[in-house]
Amino acid sequence: MILYMRLLDAARDGADWREAFQILFGLDPDLDPERSRLMHDAHLARARWMSDQGYRELVRESQREA
């Protein structure tokens, strides 16, 4: 969750995806730019999904377990 929050913050602030990727994932995006971009974008898409609707599913699941 922390990673997703930081990705969302970086995107909101207009941070360069390469810098965010290097800081958040600890990997050098210049070593494999295409794969790095795909990884960044996939995680960002999931973070956006979680913040828009995914959290509702987590709440529903936790209510069923209680």
Side-chain angles (χ1 to χ4, degrees):
M1 290 301 277
I2 292 170
L3 174 67
Y4 288 169
M5 300 292 275
R6 292 180 71 193
L7 274 168
L8 291 169
D9 287 345
R12 181 200 63 219
D13 294 344
D16 182 285
W17 75 268
R18 290 171 209 80
E19 183 179 359
F21 182 83
Q22 189 163 22
I23 291 168
L24 298 175
F25 293 93
L27 301 171
D28 184 353
D30 294 330
L31 296 177
D32 191 347
E34 186 176 329
R35 185 171 183 209
S36 298
R37 183 62 190 244
L38 289 172
M39 186 174 167
H40 172 272
D41 291 352
H43 281 282
L44 181 55
R46 182 170 287 168
R48 287 180 172 147
W49 177 83
M50 283 295 293
S51 69
D52 291 339
Q53 62 189 16
Y55 70 92
R56 291 182 194 124
E57 292 184 27
L58 290 174
V59 169
R60 271 188 242 130
E61 285 180 25
S62 67
Q63 290 173 343
R64 279 187 244 151
E65 294 173 4

